Protein backbone atom coordinates (compact mmCIF):
# COMPACT_ATOMS: atom_id res chain seq x y z
CA UNK A 1 0.00 0.00 0.00
CA UNK A 2 1.23 3.53 -0.80
CA UNK A 3 2.17 5.25 2.46
CA UNK A 4 1.09 8.75 3.43
CA UNK A 5 4.04 11.13 3.36
CA UNK A 6 4.39 13.04 6.58
CA UNK A 7 6.21 16.05 8.00
CA UNK A 8 6.45 17.41 11.52
CA UNK A 9 6.73 21.13 12.32
CA UNK A 10 8.31 21.78 15.72
CA UNK A 11 10.89 19.32 17.08
CA UNK A 12 10.61 20.26 20.77
CA UNK A 13 9.47 18.39 23.88
CA UNK A 14 6.35 16.70 22.45
CA UNK A 15 7.85 15.83 19.06
CA UNK A 16 9.37 12.50 20.14
CA UNK A 17 5.91 11.23 21.07
CA UNK A 18 4.66 12.06 17.55
CA UNK A 19 7.79 10.77 15.84
CA UNK A 20 7.67 7.44 17.72
CA UNK A 21 4.00 7.04 16.80
CA UNK A 22 4.65 7.86 13.13
CA UNK A 23 7.45 5.28 13.11
CA UNK A 24 5.07 2.64 14.47
CA UNK A 25 2.30 3.54 12.01
CA UNK A 26 2.27 1.22 8.98
CA UNK A 27 0.57 3.71 6.68
CA UNK A 28 2.81 6.71 7.45
CA UNK A 29 6.25 7.59 6.17
CA UNK A 30 8.16 10.45 7.80
CA UNK A 31 9.75 12.64 5.13
CA UNK A 32 10.66 15.89 6.91
CA UNK A 33 11.38 17.22 10.38
CA UNK A 34 11.14 21.01 10.50
CA UNK A 35 12.19 23.48 13.17
CA UNK A 36 13.48 27.05 13.10
CA UNK A 37 16.15 25.70 15.43
CA UNK A 38 18.03 23.76 12.75
CA UNK A 39 19.90 21.68 15.33
CA UNK A 40 16.64 20.28 16.67
CA UNK A 41 15.41 19.52 13.14
CA UNK A 42 18.71 17.85 12.31
CA UNK A 43 18.67 15.79 15.50
CA UNK A 44 15.13 14.54 14.84
CA UNK A 45 16.00 13.79 11.21
CA UNK A 46 19.02 11.75 12.17
CA UNK A 47 17.13 9.84 14.89
CA UNK A 48 14.13 9.06 12.67
CA UNK A 49 15.80 8.80 9.26
CA UNK A 50 14.25 11.68 7.32
CA UNK A 51 15.24 15.00 5.73
CA UNK A 52 15.14 18.28 7.67
CA UNK A 53 14.51 21.94 7.05
CA UNK A 54 14.40 25.18 9.03
CA UNK A 55 11.57 26.72 7.00
CA UNK A 56 8.21 24.99 7.33
CA UNK A 57 6.85 26.96 4.33
CA UNK A 58 9.18 25.02 2.03
CA UNK A 59 7.63 21.79 3.29
CA UNK A 60 4.09 23.08 3.04
CA UNK A 61 4.77 23.95 -0.60
CA UNK A 62 5.90 20.36 -1.32
CA UNK A 63 2.99 18.68 -3.17
CA UNK A 64 4.23 15.21 -2.15
CA UNK A 65 3.51 15.79 1.55
CA UNK A 66 0.09 14.46 2.62
CA UNK A 67 0.06 15.03 6.39
CA UNK A 68 1.54 17.69 8.70
CA UNK A 69 1.93 17.31 12.46
CA UNK A 70 1.97 20.76 14.06
CA UNK A 71 3.88 20.75 17.39
CA UNK A 72 4.86 24.41 17.66
CA UNK A 73 4.11 27.16 20.22
CA UNK A 74 0.39 27.88 20.56
CA UNK A 75 0.33 31.28 18.80
CA UNK A 76 1.59 29.66 15.57
CA UNK A 77 -1.00 26.87 15.44
CA UNK A 78 -3.84 28.45 13.51
CA UNK A 79 -1.81 30.17 10.77
CA UNK A 80 0.31 27.05 10.18
CA UNK A 81 -2.73 24.75 10.08
CA UNK A 82 -4.65 27.02 7.70
CA UNK A 83 -1.69 27.34 5.37
CA UNK A 84 -1.13 23.57 5.40
CA UNK A 85 -4.79 22.73 4.70
CA UNK A 86 -4.89 25.29 1.87
CA UNK A 87 -1.87 23.45 0.44
CA UNK A 88 -3.79 20.17 0.52
CA UNK A 89 -2.27 18.69 3.65
CA UNK A 90 -4.22 16.90 6.37
CA UNK A 91 -3.31 18.46 9.71
CA UNK A 92 -2.87 16.85 13.09
CA UNK A 93 -2.38 19.65 15.58
CA UNK A 94 -1.32 19.69 19.19
CA UNK A 95 -3.66 21.21 21.74
CA UNK A 96 -4.87 23.90 22.02
CA UNK A 97 -5.87 24.06 18.36
CA UNK A 98 -5.55 27.89 18.54
CA UNK A 99 -5.21 30.69 21.06
CA UNK A 100 -8.57 32.26 20.15
CA UNK A 101 -12.00 30.85 19.41
CA UNK A 102 -12.22 32.95 16.22
CA UNK A 103 -8.99 31.45 14.90
CA UNK A 104 -10.23 27.97 15.76
CA UNK A 105 -13.49 28.65 13.87
CA UNK A 106 -11.52 29.76 10.84
CA UNK A 107 -9.51 26.53 10.97
CA UNK A 108 -12.76 24.54 10.99
CA UNK A 109 -14.05 26.51 7.97
CA UNK A 110 -10.83 25.93 6.03
CA UNK A 111 -10.95 22.21 6.84
CA UNK A 112 -14.51 22.05 5.46
CA UNK A 113 -13.69 24.22 2.44
CA UNK A 114 -10.59 22.21 1.44
CA UNK A 115 -11.80 18.75 2.50
CA UNK A 116 -8.59 18.31 4.48
CA UNK A 117 -8.83 16.61 7.86
CA UNK A 118 -8.07 18.61 10.98
CA UNK A 119 -7.33 16.46 14.04
CA UNK A 120 -6.64 17.79 17.54
CA UNK A 121 -4.43 15.95 20.07
CA UNK A 122 -6.68 15.32 23.04
CA UNK A 123 -5.03 11.95 23.49
CA UNK A 124 -6.55 11.28 26.92
CA UNK A 125 -9.78 10.31 25.18
CA UNK A 126 -7.77 7.30 23.94
CA UNK A 127 -6.74 6.20 27.46
CA UNK A 128 -8.24 2.79 28.15
CA UNK A 129 -9.75 4.12 31.39
CA UNK A 130 -11.40 7.08 29.62
CA UNK A 131 -12.90 4.69 27.08
CA UNK A 132 -14.13 2.48 29.96
CA UNK A 133 -15.89 5.47 31.56
CA UNK A 134 -17.61 6.30 28.26
CA UNK A 135 -18.69 2.67 27.96
CA UNK A 136 -20.07 2.56 31.53
CA UNK A 137 -21.95 5.85 31.07
CA UNK A 138 -23.41 4.68 27.74
CA UNK A 139 -24.53 1.35 29.26
CA UNK A 140 -26.83 3.20 31.66
CA UNK A 141 -26.12 0.63 34.41
CA UNK A 142 -25.12 3.31 36.92
CA UNK A 143 -28.30 5.29 36.33
CA UNK A 144 -28.59 9.03 35.99
CA UNK A 145 -25.61 11.38 36.26
CA UNK A 146 -26.10 13.76 39.21
CA UNK A 147 -22.82 15.68 39.48
CA UNK A 148 -19.10 15.67 38.80
CA UNK A 149 -15.82 17.00 40.09
CA UNK A 150 -12.36 17.23 38.56
CA UNK A 151 -9.01 18.14 40.12
CA UNK A 152 -5.70 18.72 38.35
CA UNK A 153 -2.78 19.19 40.76
CA UNK A 154 0.42 19.35 38.75
CA UNK A 155 3.89 20.83 39.05
CA UNK A 156 5.49 23.35 36.73
CA UNK A 157 8.43 25.23 38.21
CA UNK A 158 10.42 28.31 37.31
CA UNK A 159 12.87 26.14 35.32
CA UNK A 160 10.04 24.94 33.06
CA UNK A 161 9.08 28.50 32.21
CA UNK A 162 12.57 30.02 32.13
CA UNK A 163 13.76 27.43 29.62
CA UNK A 164 11.01 28.39 27.16
CA UNK A 165 10.74 31.50 24.99
CA UNK A 166 6.94 31.23 24.71
CA UNK A 167 5.48 29.49 27.78
CA UNK A 168 4.16 31.84 30.46
CA UNK A 169 3.18 34.60 28.00
CA UNK A 170 -0.37 35.67 27.09
CA UNK A 171 0.70 36.53 23.58
CA UNK A 172 2.51 33.29 22.74
CA UNK A 173 1.00 30.63 25.02
CA UNK A 174 -2.45 32.25 25.08
CA UNK A 175 -2.75 31.60 28.84
CA UNK A 176 -1.07 29.24 31.27
CA UNK A 177 -2.33 26.32 33.32
CA UNK A 178 -5.78 26.32 31.69
CA UNK A 179 -4.87 26.49 28.01
CA UNK A 180 -1.80 24.27 28.29
CA UNK A 181 -2.29 21.72 31.07
CA UNK A 182 -5.86 21.62 32.40
CA UNK A 183 -7.42 21.82 28.92
CA UNK A 184 -7.11 18.01 28.72
CA UNK A 185 -9.30 17.56 31.80
CA UNK A 186 -11.84 20.14 30.62
CA UNK A 187 -12.04 18.19 27.37
CA UNK A 188 -12.61 14.90 29.21
CA UNK A 189 -15.30 16.44 31.43
CA UNK A 190 -17.35 17.69 28.49
CA UNK A 191 -16.75 14.44 26.58
CA UNK A 192 -18.12 12.43 29.51
CA UNK A 193 -20.98 14.72 30.49
CA UNK A 194 -22.29 16.46 27.37
CA UNK A 195 -23.02 19.93 26.07
CA UNK A 196 -22.24 22.90 28.28
CA UNK A 197 -24.73 25.61 29.10
CA UNK A 198 -22.53 28.09 30.97
CA UNK A 199 -19.76 28.40 33.51
CA UNK A 200 -18.46 30.72 36.17
CA UNK A 201 -14.83 30.60 37.23
CA UNK A 202 -11.69 32.42 38.15
CA UNK A 203 -7.96 32.23 37.62
CA UNK A 204 -4.93 33.62 39.42
CA UNK A 205 -1.20 33.55 39.51
CA UNK A 206 0.15 32.43 42.88
CA UNK A 207 3.45 30.59 43.47
CA UNK A 208 4.71 31.46 39.98
CA UNK A 209 3.54 35.06 39.98
CA UNK A 210 7.01 36.56 39.70
CA UNK A 211 7.94 34.23 36.83
CA UNK A 212 4.91 34.16 34.50
CA UNK A 213 2.28 36.67 33.42
CA UNK A 214 -0.37 33.94 32.94
CA UNK A 215 -2.32 31.91 35.53
CA UNK A 216 -1.00 28.97 37.55
CA UNK A 217 -4.29 28.20 39.36
CA UNK A 218 -7.98 28.21 38.38
CA UNK A 219 -11.43 26.95 39.35
CA UNK A 220 -14.91 26.84 37.85
CA UNK A 221 -18.45 25.59 38.23
CA UNK A 222 -19.68 24.25 34.91
CA UNK A 223 -23.40 23.93 34.17
CA UNK A 224 -24.28 21.32 31.57
CA UNK A 225 -27.41 21.37 29.42
CA UNK A 226 -28.55 18.05 30.94
CA UNK A 227 -28.78 19.72 34.38
CA UNK A 228 -25.50 18.33 35.76
CA UNK A 229 -23.11 20.74 37.50
CA UNK A 230 -19.39 19.99 37.65
CA UNK A 231 -16.86 21.58 39.96
CA UNK A 232 -13.34 21.99 38.65
CA UNK A 233 -10.07 22.98 40.31
CA UNK A 234 -6.60 23.05 38.73
CA UNK A 235 -3.16 24.24 39.70
CA UNK A 236 0.43 23.98 38.50
CA UNK A 237 1.66 24.72 42.04
CA UNK A 238 1.55 21.24 43.56
CA UNK A 239 4.81 19.53 44.51
CA UNK A 240 4.43 16.78 41.89
CA UNK A 241 2.30 15.76 38.89
CA UNK A 242 -0.47 13.79 40.61
CA UNK A 243 -2.89 11.71 38.57
CA UNK A 244 -5.85 13.80 37.43
CA UNK A 245 -8.89 13.02 39.59
CA UNK A 246 -12.36 12.90 38.04
CA UNK A 247 -15.44 11.78 39.94
CA UNK A 248 -18.85 11.20 38.39
CA UNK A 249 -21.71 10.72 40.84
CA UNK A 250 -24.68 8.75 39.47
CA UNK A 251 -27.95 7.56 40.95
CA UNK A 252 -26.68 3.93 41.27
CA UNK A 253 -23.03 4.55 42.18
CA UNK A 254 -19.84 6.55 41.74
CA UNK A 255 -17.09 6.46 39.11
CA UNK A 256 -13.67 7.57 40.41
CA UNK A 257 -10.76 8.09 38.03
CA UNK A 258 -7.29 8.58 39.51
CA UNK A 259 -4.30 6.36 38.87
CA UNK A 260 -6.88 3.56 38.57
CA UNK A 261 -10.57 3.59 37.81
CA UNK A 262 -12.98 2.40 40.48
CA UNK A 263 -16.69 1.93 40.04
CA UNK A 264 -18.52 1.77 43.34
CA UNK A 265 -22.14 0.58 43.12
CA UNK A 266 -24.67 1.60 45.76
CA UNK A 267 -25.32 -2.11 46.40
CA UNK A 268 -21.74 -2.52 47.71
CA UNK A 269 -20.22 -4.05 44.58
CA UNK A 270 -16.92 -2.49 43.43
CA UNK A 271 -14.94 -2.84 40.21
CA UNK A 272 -11.35 -1.64 39.63
CA UNK A 273 -9.67 -1.13 36.26
CA UNK A 274 -6.01 -0.28 35.50
CA UNK A 275 -4.61 1.63 32.55
CA UNK A 276 -3.02 -0.57 29.87
CA UNK A 277 0.28 1.15 29.15
CA UNK A 278 3.15 -0.46 27.28
CA UNK A 279 5.12 2.80 27.18
CA UNK A 280 8.27 2.44 29.24
CA UNK A 281 10.07 5.64 28.18
CA UNK A 282 11.19 8.61 30.22
CA UNK A 283 7.68 10.05 30.35
CA UNK A 284 5.90 6.73 30.69
CA UNK A 285 3.10 8.51 32.60
CA UNK A 286 2.10 10.08 29.27
CA UNK A 287 1.01 6.56 28.26
CA UNK A 288 0.33 5.14 24.81
CA UNK A 289 -2.60 7.31 24.00
CA UNK A 290 -0.85 9.71 21.62
CA UNK A 291 0.19 6.74 19.56
CA UNK A 292 -3.37 5.36 19.49
CA UNK A 293 -4.74 8.77 18.50
CA UNK A 294 -2.14 9.18 15.73
CA UNK A 295 -2.82 5.67 14.38
CA UNK A 296 -6.56 6.48 14.33
CA UNK A 297 -5.89 9.76 12.49
CA UNK A 298 -4.00 7.92 9.72
CA UNK A 299 -6.60 5.15 9.59
CA UNK A 300 -9.32 7.79 9.19
CA UNK A 301 -7.52 9.17 6.13
CA UNK A 302 -6.81 5.80 4.55
CA UNK A 303 -10.24 4.34 5.28
CA UNK A 304 -12.19 7.59 4.72
CA UNK A 305 -14.02 7.91 8.02
CA UNK A 306 -14.46 10.99 10.22
CA UNK A 307 -11.65 11.43 12.74
CA UNK A 308 -13.43 11.67 16.12
CA UNK A 309 -11.51 14.67 17.52
CA UNK A 310 -11.92 17.07 14.61
CA UNK A 311 -11.99 20.87 14.81
CA UNK A 312 -15.60 20.93 16.06
CA UNK A 313 -14.58 18.67 18.95
CA UNK A 314 -11.25 20.38 19.55
CA UNK A 315 -12.80 23.84 19.89
CA UNK A 316 -15.04 22.90 22.85
CA UNK A 317 -12.32 22.77 25.51
CA UNK A 318 -10.79 25.94 24.07
CA UNK A 319 -14.17 27.66 24.51
CA UNK A 320 -14.25 26.42 28.13
CA UNK A 321 -10.77 27.84 28.79
CA UNK A 322 -11.69 31.18 27.24
CA UNK A 323 -14.97 31.26 29.15
CA UNK A 324 -13.11 30.84 32.47
CA UNK A 325 -10.83 33.77 31.57
CA UNK A 326 -13.83 35.91 30.60
CA UNK A 327 -15.82 34.92 33.67
CA UNK A 328 -12.92 35.74 35.96
CA UNK A 329 -12.38 39.11 34.27
CA UNK A 330 -16.08 40.07 34.34
CA UNK A 331 -17.26 38.25 37.47
CA UNK A 332 -20.20 36.84 35.46
CA UNK A 333 -21.52 33.53 34.19
CA UNK A 334 -20.45 32.96 30.60
CA UNK A 335 -22.64 31.00 28.18
CA UNK A 336 -20.97 28.69 25.73
N1 LIG B 1 -0.81 16.57 24.16
C1 LIG B 1 0.05 16.68 25.17
O1 LIG B 1 -0.03 15.99 26.19
C2 LIG B 1 1.17 17.68 25.04
C3 LIG B 1 2.29 17.59 25.88
C4 LIG B 1 3.32 18.56 25.69
C5 LIG B 1 3.16 19.57 24.74
N2 LIG B 1 2.02 19.61 23.99
C6 LIG B 1 1.81 20.68 22.99
O2 LIG B 1 2.78 20.55 21.95
C7 LIG B 1 3.08 21.84 21.42
C8 LIG B 1 4.58 22.09 21.53
O3 LIG B 1 4.94 22.05 22.90
P1 LIG B 1 6.42 21.67 23.35
O4 LIG B 1 6.36 21.50 24.83
O5 LIG B 1 6.94 20.57 22.50
O6 LIG B 1 7.17 23.05 23.01
P2 LIG B 1 8.72 23.28 22.72
O7 LIG B 1 8.97 24.71 22.97
O8 LIG B 1 9.53 22.25 23.44
O9 LIG B 1 8.82 22.96 21.17
C9 LIG B 1 8.30 23.83 20.19
C10 LIG B 1 9.25 23.77 19.00
O10 LIG B 1 8.71 24.55 17.93
C11 LIG B 1 9.81 25.19 17.29
N3 LIG B 1 9.33 26.34 16.50
C12 LIG B 1 8.99 27.58 16.94
N4 LIG B 1 8.61 28.36 15.91
C13 LIG B 1 8.71 27.58 14.80
C14 LIG B 1 8.46 27.82 13.43
N5 LIG B 1 8.03 29.00 12.97
N6 LIG B 1 8.68 26.81 12.55
C15 LIG B 1 9.12 25.60 12.99
N7 LIG B 1 9.37 25.31 14.29
C16 LIG B 1 9.17 26.30 15.18
C17 LIG B 1 10.74 25.59 18.43
O11 LIG B 1 12.06 25.86 17.98
C18 LIG B 1 10.64 24.35 19.31
O12 LIG B 1 11.63 23.39 19.01
C19 LIG B 1 2.23 22.82 22.23
O13 LIG B 1 1.02 23.03 21.54
C20 LIG B 1 1.96 22.09 23.53
O14 LIG B 1 0.79 22.52 24.19
C21 LIG B 1 1.05 18.68 24.11
Amino acid sequence: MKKLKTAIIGCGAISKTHLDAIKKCHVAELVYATDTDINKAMKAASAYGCSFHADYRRIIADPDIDVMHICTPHYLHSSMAIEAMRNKKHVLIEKPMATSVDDAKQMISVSKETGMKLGVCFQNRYNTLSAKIKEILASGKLGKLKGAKAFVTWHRDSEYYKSSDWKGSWEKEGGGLLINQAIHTLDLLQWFIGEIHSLKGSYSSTLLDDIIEVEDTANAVIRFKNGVNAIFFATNCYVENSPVYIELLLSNGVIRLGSNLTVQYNNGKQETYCEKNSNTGEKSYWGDSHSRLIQDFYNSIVNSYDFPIDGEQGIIALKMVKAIYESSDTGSWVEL
Side-chain angles (χ1 to χ4, degrees):
M1 187 206 286
K2 188 176 162 284
K3 290 188 173 184
L4 293 161
K5 292 193 191 305
T6 294
I8 184 166
I9 320 182
C11 301
I14 197 61
S15 63
K16 187 177 181 302
T17 311
H18 284 252
L19 291 164
D20 284 344
I22 295 166
K23 196 171 158 187
K24 276 202 314 201
C25 177
H26 299 305
V27 292
E29 177 192 346
L30 183 70
V31 178
Y32 285 113
T34 327
D35 200 299
T36 38
D37 181 338
I38 195 69
N39 289 322
K40 285 187 180 176
M42 223 171 357
K43 212 170 142 197
S46 106
Y48 291 88
C50 66
S51 303
F52 61 92
H53 215 288
D55 183 0
Y56 80 93
R57 288 204 163 90
R58 294 279 292 275
I59 312 307
I60 277 183
D62 182 340
D64 284 344
I65 300 298
D66 304 297
V67 181
M68 306 235 38
H69 289 237
I70 299 181
C71 301
T72 50
H74 299 169
Y75 72 104
L76 297 168
H77 284 188
S78 59
S79 57
M80 286 179 165
I82 287 170
E83 214 178 320
M85 287 187 285
R86 291 215 162 115
N87 278 277
K88 297 273 160 231
K89 311 318 179 205
H90 299 291
V91 167
L92 184 61
I93 194 151
E94 265 302 344
K95 42 50 63 172
M97 60 189 286
T99 50
S100 82
V101 170
D102 282 348
D103 286 351
K105 283 182 180 164
Q106 207 195 334
M107 292 161 76
I108 295 168
S109 306
V110 174
S111 169
K112 285 186 181 147
E113 204 178 287
T114 57
M116 293 294 108
K117 284 190 193 292
L118 172 63
V120 184
C121 286
F122 281 127
Q123 76 277 3
N124 291 314
R125 293 197 195 185
Y126 286 78
N127 295 351
T128 44
L129 297 185
S130 304
K132 191 76 200 169
I133 292 176
K134 278 295 264 191
E135 182 193 311
I136 294 168
L137 291 172
S139 76
K141 63 184 178 186
L142 274 177
K144 194 171 156 34
L145 190 57
K146 291 162 59 176
K149 59 186 174 190
F151 302 134
V152 183
T153 51
W154 283 359
H155 178 77
R156 295 291 180 275
D157 57 16
S158 54
E159 225 13 74
Y160 170 85
Y161 286 105
K162 281 181 182 162
S163 63
S164 173
D165 59 2
W166 62 276
K167 287 170 186 158
S169 122
W170 282 107
E171 190 199 339
K172 294 188 170 173
E173 193 177 12
L177 154 90
L178 283 168
I179 203 161
N180 199 334
Q181 285 81 35
I183 193 166
H184 284 295
T185 304
L186 293 171
D187 179 61
L188 281 183
L189 268 183
Q190 66 81 26
W191 190 52
F192 292 147
I193 301 175
E195 276 186 71
I196 296 162
H197 175 267
S198 56
L199 63 75
K200 186 167 184 179
S202 68
Y203 65 90
S204 57
S205 164
T206 61
L207 272 187
L208 295 165
D209 63 353
D210 55 347
I211 317 254
I212 55 175
E213 60 185 41
V214 295
E215 82 288 357
D216 61 26
T217 300
N219 65 75
V221 171
I222 306 159
R223 286 178 175 154
F224 289 82
K225 287 186 181 166
N226 56 11
V228 170
N229 293 336
I231 57 167
F232 163 81
F233 171 78
T235 184
N236 268 343
C237 297
Y238 192 51
V239 69
E240 63 166 15
N241 291 305
S242 301
V244 167
Y245 182 74
I246 297 180
E247 184 174 292
L248 300 161
L249 183 70
L250 293 104
S251 50
N252 299 337
V254 192
I255 296 173
R256 295 190 179 95
L257 175 68
S259 43
N260 291 327
L261 172 67
T262 60
V263 184
Q264 177 77 56
Y265 293 82
N266 291 348
N267 64 9
K269 191 178 135 199
Q270 183 172 305
E271 293 162 358
T272 302
Y273 304 91
C274 301
E275 186 68 43
K276 285 196 190 102
N277 179 9
S278 61
N279 194 340
T280 53
E282 182 197 349
K283 293 209 169 150
S284 58
Y285 61 87
W286 279 1
D288 286 334
S289 309
H290 249 103
S291 136
R292 289 188 208 123
L293 178 149
I294 289 168
Q295 181 67 55
D296 195 24
F297 186 69
Y298 281 92
N299 288 345
S300 77
I301 299 170
V302 172
N303 300 317
S304 303
Y305 61 84
D306 291 338
F307 180 66
I309 317 177
D310 60 6
E312 304 276 8
Q313 282 292 308
I315 200 174
I316 304 171
L318 178 64
K319 284 184 177 171
M320 295 170 83
V321 165
K322 290 288 175 172
I324 298 175
Y325 292 144
E326 186 186 336
S327 170
S328 188
D329 291 345
T330 60
S332 309
W333 284 92
V334 176
E335 284 195 18
L336 268 80

